[in-house]
Amino acid sequence: MEKKNKILNVEEIHTFYGESHIIQGLSLFVAENEAVSILGRNGVGKTTTLRSIMGLTPPRSGKITIDGEDTTKLPAHAVSMMGVAYVPAERHIFPGLHVEENLKLAARPGDGDNPWTLERIYDQFPILADRTKQDGSTLSGGEQQMLAIGRALISNPKIIILDEPSQGLSPLLVDAVTECVQNFCVKSGITLMVVEQNYRMALKVASRHYLMGTKGKIAGVATTQELNDNPQIIHDHLSV
Ligand SMILES: Nc1ncnc2c1ncn2[C@@H]1O[C@H](COP(=O)(O)OP(=O)(O)OP(=O)(O)O)[C@@H](O)[C@H]1O
Ligand SMILES: [Mg+2]
């Protein structure tokens, strides 16, 4: 098999909030065009891992590279300029701006053969095309998640990082968002990392899964096939 470029590489990071040592030597990587998940119980440090990668809560030690470039000490805006689109669990839709303004603010030219443009987003997300002039903050939870994903795509990033895209959504909307991530990210070969407690969703969108245990470390890694064949692995780590 062709050896793929690591778009994201995290080596032995340690991250603190004050004196609380949350992430204690975590390593992971995401290869180009790969969709990877991080699964773990409440409070193990999944969001903190993403905040470390984004430069929002930088690690005290260890190393993070994006497409080979060291970003460990970079502030969040610089990490985002390196081509990392982060969709936090709260989605951060800009209030007072309608759907199209939210998308236009995030748009960046892409260098591939088929970059994401406003037209392409509307074509793929009819829900957004029908609501171009609606204030983003008045969208339903599922629509806001679609807008947040559309905003990530239109920045034509090297990697999209989603924190709990299913959080707070009804089962029907979880299905819609899952389908959206499968269709618009996974099938178009976007490099993706998703944090989820909803492991059913994670198994549908990602092909490789990091199991985060206590002490902010990766306790194991498994493919979708391995987790489907041995559901016990998930039970052991997530107690579901
Ligand atoms: N700003 C903060 N200051 C101090 N401690 C924090 C802060 N943010 C998070 N923590 C603590 O860090 C630990 C990890 O939190 P984190 O949000 O990364 O977990 P998580 O795995 O994303 O959890 P969840 O599944 O509930 O989203 C928790 O014990 C949490 O209380
Ligand atoms: Mg979290």
Side-chain angles (χ1 to χ4, degrees):
M1 199 175 85
E2 172 198 4
K3 193 156 176 351
K4 287 217 169 160
N5 190 17
K6 285 179 187 171
I7 295 292
L8 170 67
N9 195 34
V10 176
E11 277 172 52
E12 278 289 315
I13 58 164
H14 289 260
T15 306
F16 295 70
Y17 293 113
E19 290 309 302
S20 303
H21 190 180
I22 307 294
I23 305 298
Q24 304 187 22
L26 176 141
S27 302
L28 56 78
F29 71 88
V30 186
E32 192 166 9
N33 304 126
E34 192 184 27
V36 162
S37 88
I38 303 179
L39 300 169
R41 293 184 185 124
N42 275 124
V44 291
K46 302 180 299 296
T47 298
T48 306
T49 301
L50 302 188
R51 292 183 59 84
S52 305
I53 293 166
M54 289 313 297
L56 292 163
T57 308
R60 251 183 230 179
S61 63
K63 186 174 176 188
I64 299 170
T65 60
I66 304 293
D67 207 7
E69 302 235 21
D70 190 340
T71 60
T72 321
K73 302 277 181 242
L74 293 185
H77 66 90
V79 176
S80 123
M81 291 304 289
M82 299 281 301
V84 186
Y86 174 48
V87 181
E90 315 79 55
R91 290 153 207 158
H92 291 179
I93 301 302
F94 302 122
L97 296 185
H98 57 57
V99 166
E100 189 151 311
E101 288 164 336
N102 264 278
L103 288 168
K104 279 185 169 166
L105 264 182
R108 279 195 209 133
D111 48 9
D113 353 318
N114 193 15
W116 288 91
T117 59
L118 205 52
E119 293 67 39
R120 190 167 166 216
I121 296 284
Y122 286 155
D123 191 42
Q124 300 287 332
F125 294 76
I127 281 181
L128 300 181
D130 291 344
R131 292 172 177 76
T132 56
K133 297 291 183 272
Q134 185 175 333
D135 188 314
S137 61
T138 65
L139 296 173
S140 75
E143 291 162 358
Q144 285 196 16
Q145 189 58 258
M146 307 277 192
L147 176 55
I149 293 169
R151 232 174 29 180
L153 287 168
I154 206 169
S155 75
N156 287 295
K158 289 186 177 138
I159 181 169
I160 294 183
I161 298 181
L162 301 174
D163 194 358
E164 309 239 17
S166 74
Q167 182 175 295
L169 302 182
S170 68
L172 216 60
L173 282 176
V174 172
D175 288 347
V177 170
T178 303
E179 211 171 293
C180 157
V181 175
Q182 285 175 317
N183 286 341
F184 313 140
C185 301
V186 181
K187 284 186 192 156
S188 67
I190 294 264
T191 306
L192 181 76
M193 184 157 82
V194 59
V195 160
E196 260 303 338
Q197 285 190 55
N198 182 331
Y199 71 91
R200 288 182 190 85
M201 177 188 197
L203 290 185
K204 282 185 192 154
V205 301
S207 56
R208 207 161 56 83
H209 310 270
Y210 287 102
L211 303 159
M212 198 160 170
T214 52
K215 300 213 170 144
K217 278 187 190 155
I218 298 302
V221 56
T223 63
T224 300
Q225 174 91 48
E226 287 164 340
L227 292 182
N228 281 329
D229 292 348
N230 299 292
Q232 191 59 36
I233 301 176
I234 293 180
H235 285 255
D236 291 347
H237 286 92
L238 303 182
S239 69
V240 286

